[in-house]
Every structure is written in structure tokens, then in C-alpha cells.
């Protein structure tokens, strides 16, 4: 199905390990829309903090470093561009060190304000865009065309993450599930922009849906929101 009639913003929020990124990219491609991975921006900010040698728990120092960093992300659905001060960090932002420290960096209000401003500017430049994150429907784009909150049972999320990382033992999978719960807890309980569904978000549970099923559902929601279904 070609779905190029879509104009507007689709927000895709939810915890980690739901397959959000691959679903968001695929939905953007199907809709002929741009794609913005806001998690990549918080991860890039974390690279700047680690390289500056400051403690990620020191909110003041973190805010100062991130204010001075040039964080750039691309918005094409088929390529990933993430740079900090002109250096390509697309691979590094997925590493364990960044993953361990990104929750602390993303909890700093000044960092959030800076990156949210940048996110809104990137969204304003696109006719159609799928934006992925934690607070997109609640804070960044409260007037978005369609809001989706993607969730899945922690065990299903741990299984998927394990498959990506090539881990197979029950202990390893239990460790991943514990790690996901810890990050969710941190992201959901922080004071600034906690992870939660917007009141007008459609909650999609992907525990028993494959990726294509989730993408179909999002594309359908986007098209029906703009009345483009008949044209698709
Ligand atoms: O989606 P991700 O795993 O790449 O996100 C990395 C971290 O950034 C995650 O701990 C939550 C945080 N984040 C956020 O606070 N707000 C967003 N809009 C996106 C991500």
C-alpha cells in the first residue's frame, strides 16, 4: 500500500525494547515521511558528556557541556546520521557505556529544554514526520496529528533484545529484563517529562504482534486521521 497522502506528525512513545525504532522507521518509509529519533539525540548528548570527562550525575556540569555541544541528527528514514561537533557517533551511541549513562543525562531539565527546542525545529521543517521518543506526545508535540504509545510485556521485550544481541541463556535474558525494568522505572519516575502515554494516545501492545502488524496499525491510524485512507 502506498501511503503518500499523509501530512502531519505521528508521535511514537514508549519504553525501550518494544521494537519502537524499527517500527518508526518502517512507518515513516510507508508514509513517505521524515523520521526523527529523539533517543539518538539524548545518546549523542551523553557522548559529549562522557568525552568531556564530567560525572553524568552532576546535573550542572552536564547542562554546561551539552549547551556547548553541536548535536546534529538526520531525519531521513533510510539512513542514520548522528554527529557531535562534526564527528560521526552513530555507532558509538548504541554502545554499553552510552546506554548506561543516558538516563541520567536525559533527566537534566536544561538538556531536555535544549533538545526539545531542536526537535520542534526539525519537525517544523517537515511536511510529514514520524517522531520517536518518550515524551513526544505529552511534551514535545502535544498537538500532533496521531499519537501512539507502543508497549509490550517486559519478558517479550527482553527476548527481542536478547535476539538482537545474540544472547540465549535464561540468566542472560533475566538480566536483560531486569535492566529494562530499571531503565523504565528511572524514565517513568523522573520529575521532568516522565515516560507515560498522552491522554489522547492510542496504546498499541506489541507483545503478540509482529513488526509488520504494528507498522500496519500505525499507518492505518495516520491515514485515517488525515482522511487519506481512500487515496492510499
Ligand atoms: O530510545 P532510546 O533507548 O534510544 O533512548 C535513550 C534514552 O533517552 C532513554 O533512557 C530515554 C531517553 N529519552 C528521553 O528521555 N526522551 C526522549 N524523547 C527520548 C529518549
Amino acid at each position: 500500500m502506498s501511503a503518500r497522502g499523509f501530512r502531519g506528525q505521528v508521535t511514537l512513545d514508549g519504553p525501550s525494547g518494544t521494537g519502537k525504532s524499527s517500527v518508526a522507521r518502517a512507518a515513516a518509509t510507508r508514509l513517505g515521511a521524515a523520521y526523527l529519533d529523539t533517543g539518538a539525540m539524548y545518546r549523542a548528548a551523553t557522548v559529549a558528556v562522557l568525552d568531556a570527562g564530567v560525572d553524568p550525575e552532576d546535573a550542572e556540569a552536564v547542562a554546561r557541556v551539552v549547551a556547548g555541544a553541536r548535536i546534529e541528527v538526520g531525519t531521513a528514514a533510510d539512513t542514520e546520521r548522528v554527529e557531535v561537533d562534526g564527528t560521526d557517533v552513530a555507532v558509538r551511541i548504541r554502545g554499553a557505556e552510552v546506554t548506561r549513562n543516558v538516563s541520567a543525562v536525559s533527566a537534566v531539565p536544561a538538556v531536555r529544554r535544549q533538545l526539545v527546542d531542536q526537535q520542534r525545529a526539525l519537525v517544523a521543517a517537515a511536511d510529514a514526520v514520524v517522531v520517536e521518543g518518550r515524551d513526544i506526545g505529552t511534551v514535545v508535540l502535544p498537538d500532533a496529528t496521531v499519537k501512539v504509545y507502543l508497549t509490550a510485556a517486559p519478558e517479550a521485550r527482553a527476548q527481542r533484545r536478547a535476539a538482537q544481541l545474540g544472547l540465549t541463556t535464561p540468566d542472560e535474558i533475566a538480566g536483560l529484563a531486569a535492566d529494562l525494568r530499571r531503565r523504565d522505572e528511572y524514565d517513568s519516575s523522573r520529575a521532568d517529562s516522565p515516560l507515560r502515554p498522552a491522554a489522547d494516545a492510542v496504546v498499541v501492545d506489541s507483545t503478540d504482534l509482529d513488526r509488520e502488524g504494528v507498522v500496519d496499525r500505525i499507518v492505518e491510524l495516520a491515514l485515517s486521521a488525515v482522511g487519506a485512507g481512500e487515496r492510499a
Side-chain angles (χ1 to χ4, degrees), residues 20 38-39 42-43 94 102-103 106 112 133-136 183 187 190:
K20 203 159 27 108
T38 62
Y42 289 100
R43 287 173 179 271
R94 306 296 166 196
V102 64
S103 281
S106 66
R112 302 201 69 83
R134 302 291 190 290
D135 61 338
I136 311 304
R183 269 218 287 160
D187 294 338
R190 70 178 172 219

Side-chain angles (χ1 to χ4, degrees), residues 17-100:
T18 53
K20 203 159 27 108
S21 294
S22 74
V23 161
R25 268 183 201 282
T29 302
R30 288 261 299 274
L31 291 166
Y35 162 67
L36 179 60
D37 176 359
T38 62
M41 298 173 78
Y42 289 100
R43 287 173 179 271
T46 304
V47 167
V49 167
L50 294 171
D51 284 357
V54 309
D55 177 0
E57 303 287 343
D58 179 346
E60 223 170 274
V62 165
R64 190 168 8 90
V65 169
V66 177
R70 188 156 46 85
I71 292 165
E72 292 177 291
V73 296
T75 56
D78 57 352
T79 49
E80 184 173 32
R81 186 173 78 86
V82 188
E83 292 176 10
V84 176
D85 294 328
T87 300
D88 178 354
V89 296
V91 173
R92 217 180 132 198
I93 59 165
R94 306 296 166 196
E97 199 193 6
V98 169
T99 301
R100 240 191 341 267

Side-chain angles (χ1 to χ4, degrees), residues 175-190:
L176 283 174
D179 190 51
L180 285 172
R181 277 200 199 88
R182 189 173 45 75
R183 269 218 287 160
D184 288 354
E185 174 63 26
Y186 196 120
D187 294 338
S188 311
S189 60
R190 70 178 172 219

